[in-house]
Amino acid sequence: MTQPPSDPSFAFALPRFTKVLLVMDVVESVRLMQENESEAVLQWRMLAGQVDDVVPKHEGRVLKSLGDGLMLEFGTAQGCVHAAFEIQHRSRSLNRALAPRRQLHLRMGAHIAEFVADDRDIYGADVNLASRLTTLAGPGELVVSAELRDRLAPSVDADIEDLGGCYLKHLSEPVRAYRVGPPGQQPITDLVQAVQLDLRPTIAVIPFSIRSGEPGHEMLGEALADEVIAALSRTSELHVISRLSTTVFRGRNDAVDDIRAHLGASYILSGVCRAQGTQLALFVELIDSKSHNIVWADSLKGQVHGLFASDDELIPRLVAAISSSVMTNELGRAQRNALPTLEGYTLLLSAISLMHRNSRADFERSRQMLEHLVDRSRRHPAPYAWLAKWHVLLVQQGWSEDREAEAGRALDCTKRA
């Protein structure tokens, strides 16, 4: 095949088109292929066959295959959306016979695109935008551009949710996007199927080293770490990594970077346990895995035989100190860094902490942080939920000049969450 000339003006000689492009891909396709390649391929072929049946009925055609997805072309916005609804309906029908983890879910993005084409492919910034919009959609969802949304009303009966200005990869300016769903069904992500964003800091508890030559103490450090993991897992502020994942790092004092890389741990708790007779001395330190700095360290004493009793105070004291230190460190990080560069969980924890102070300035700062997080993470319910509580607290603190208006704002945030 003849290669196109290198002259940039060649692109202007190619035919130009304006069509509605619909891009779809399979959510978690890599995982599905790794777990059962033959079944994933079969499911995709069955769904692709359904797409081939649906698209011509809505005056569209399959433009090209994208490996684990398709790019479709339509003459009208209405045809594109109706086809998307029907494809998603057929996808759900195929999934009914499968276990949740094996189900194949589609996410879709659509845009009215102007592009040039040759016998190989189509080209243009609008083509890339249609693909980028797909990344905003969750399983079973369709996200469209503002241009396409304007073509829909009022001829298409659908629920349309404004996502606001969304930042997309390789685009310098935010793009206004809308989530579109069939009437009577809220176009929201099923949290059972979706990959959820956990905003909590993550802690890895490494089995403690034991310094004792007495028989019966060999596994004391590991058993003590298990008790700490169990206690920390009952707190709502932290995500705790399983002991099955942390045991492999026992005794590795230089493994901070490895633990962060392999386990995604924000904090690492390690220590040395010394036992003599019935006396126990425990030295622990909590490390920030990003900076390698010690966030908190202490020496605790207790009784070996009473360590695992329900009324022993050593483990509760240890867990309380860890939780407090993590929260303090996260708040300090939020106050030290520029707001746009913060990680989501840092911003949320900091906003919650500031919200519960008696200072009006801190309270207002909390609102700004929550609203910023809403803009960054529009698909996550937690920022909306906490912003709703902020409006409630504003009334409870006596700082509101219009109680009914604040109640309305709180209700709106709750609905969005």
Side-chain angles (χ1 to χ4, degrees):
M1 185 178 294
T2 304
Q3 295 292 329
S6 58
D7 184 357
S9 64
F10 172 76
F12 295 100
L14 294 173
R16 302 187 70 85
F17 302 90
T18 300
K19 299 285 184 178
V20 180
L21 296 183
L22 175 66
V23 179
M24 64 179 70
D25 65 20
V26 177
V27 179
E28 294 190 326
S29 59
V30 174
R31 176 184 64 79
L32 292 169
M33 285 290 185
Q34 288 178 339
E35 293 183 355
N36 193 328
E37 182 180 277
S38 59
E39 181 184 68
V41 171
L42 176 62
Q43 287 295 113
W44 173 240
R45 286 175 59 85
M46 291 174 61
L47 184 55
Q50 297 289 328
V51 173
D52 291 335
D53 181 52
V54 169
V55 170
K57 297 191 302 182
H58 299 281
E59 300 180 351
R61 70 185 183 98
V62 177
L63 199 58
K64 63 177 178 177
S65 173
L66 304 173
D68 62 347
L70 295 169
M71 180 178 288
L72 313 179
E73 174 188 290
F74 296 88
T76 66
Q78 292 77 11
C80 170
V81 172
H82 284 142
F85 289 173
E86 186 171 350
I87 292 170
Q88 295 287 21
H89 175 73
R90 296 197 182 197
S91 174
R92 288 191 292 271
S93 297
L94 291 174
N95 282 331
R96 289 194 185 103
L98 299 173
R101 187 170 178 82
R102 294 164 52 204
Q103 292 177 359
L104 186 151
H105 296 273
L106 293 174
R107 57 179 184 173
M108 299 180 174
H111 176 51
I112 299 177
E114 182 178 343
F115 55 87
V116 296
D118 59 18
D119 54 354
R120 288 184 173 185
D121 208 341
I122 64 174
Y123 311 93
D126 286 345
V127 179
N128 296 330
L129 177 56
S131 297
R132 297 299 182 202
L133 286 169
T134 306
T135 64
L136 298 175
E141 291 185 349
L142 167 66
V143 173
V144 305
S145 64
E147 292 82 359
L148 181 54
R149 183 264 179 203
D150 291 342
R151 298 281 185 95
L152 295 177
S155 58
V156 171
D157 187 12
D159 291 329
I160 301 177
E161 179 185 355
D162 187 355
L163 300 180
C166 302
Y167 283 91
L168 300 173
K169 187 176 181 181
H170 298 319
L171 297 179
S172 58
E173 297 297 326
V175 174
R176 192 66 173 267
Y178 296 82
R179 184 163 45 233
V180 182
Q185 175 183 335
Q186 291 298 320
I188 60 173
T189 301
D190 181 356
L191 294 181
V192 175
Q193 304 296 336
V195 177
Q196 300 182 43
L197 175 62
D198 193 339
L199 298 180
R200 297 172 296 172
T202 301
I203 185 169
V205 181
I206 309 304
F208 301 125
S209 302
I210 184 70
R211 299 287 187 269
S212 174
E214 298 185 27
H217 289 173
E218 296 84 359
M219 302 301 294
L220 183 59
E222 190 160 336
L224 184 57
D226 289 346
E227 289 293 316
V228 174
I229 290 174
L232 284 173
S233 66
R234 291 191 288 269
T235 68
S236 60
E237 296 89 358
L238 296 170
H239 175 66
V240 186
I241 295 174
S242 165
R243 62 176 297 275
L244 298 176
S245 300
T246 57
T247 300
V248 68
F249 293 99
R250 182 198 297 113
R252 294 183 57 184
N253 298 326
D254 58 344
V256 173
D257 291 331
D258 289 340
I259 295 172
R260 175 174 171 77
H262 292 289
L263 303 181
S266 313
Y267 295 90
I268 302 169
L269 182 74
S270 61
V272 177
C273 180
R274 294 182 173 85
Q276 184 173 4
T278 62
Q279 299 298 311
L280 174 73
L282 178 65
F283 173 76
V284 289
E285 62 179 19
L286 183 67
I287 299 174
D288 184 332
S289 66
K290 297 177 183 178
S291 64
H292 290 221
N293 292 331
I294 296 176
V295 175
W296 170 80
D298 201 357
S299 294
L300 305 171
K301 294 183 178 180
Q303 297 290 322
V304 173
H305 298 302
L307 185 60
F308 306 108
S310 59
D311 59 348
D312 188 81
E313 296 183 357
L314 180 61
I315 300 298
R317 282 164 46 207
L318 182 58
V319 170
I322 292 169
S323 299
S324 176
S325 299
V326 169
M327 292 293 287
T328 300
N329 192 61
E330 292 297 304
L331 179 57
R333 181 181 301 171
Q335 293 174 333
R336 288 193 303 269
N337 291 281
L339 203 58
T341 65
L342 294 176
E343 293 181 357
Y345 72 84
T346 303
L347 189 59
L348 182 64
L349 290 175
S350 303
I352 294 170
S353 297
L354 292 173
M355 184 193 308
H356 290 90
R357 293 184 175 182
N358 291 325
S359 166
R360 182 65 186 270
D362 286 344
F363 192 74
E364 288 297 328
R365 177 65 170 164
S366 171
R367 177 185 60 81
Q368 295 171 7
M369 297 166 79
L370 288 171
E371 290 178 346
H372 179 80
L373 186 54
V374 163
D375 289 337
R376 288 180 49 185
S377 307
R378 289 185 175 273
R379 303 193 47 74
H380 197 278
Y384 287 110
W386 281 106
L387 192 56
K389 184 172 183 179
W390 186 93
H391 290 290
V392 173
L393 290 177
L394 183 67
V395 174
Q396 291 180 344
Q397 294 279 33
W399 291 333
S400 171
E401 297 179 356
D402 190 338
R403 296 168 62 92
E404 291 186 4
E406 294 303 331
R409 296 184 186 103
L411 184 60
D412 179 67
C413 290
T414 303
K415 289 179 178 179
R416 290 180 179 275

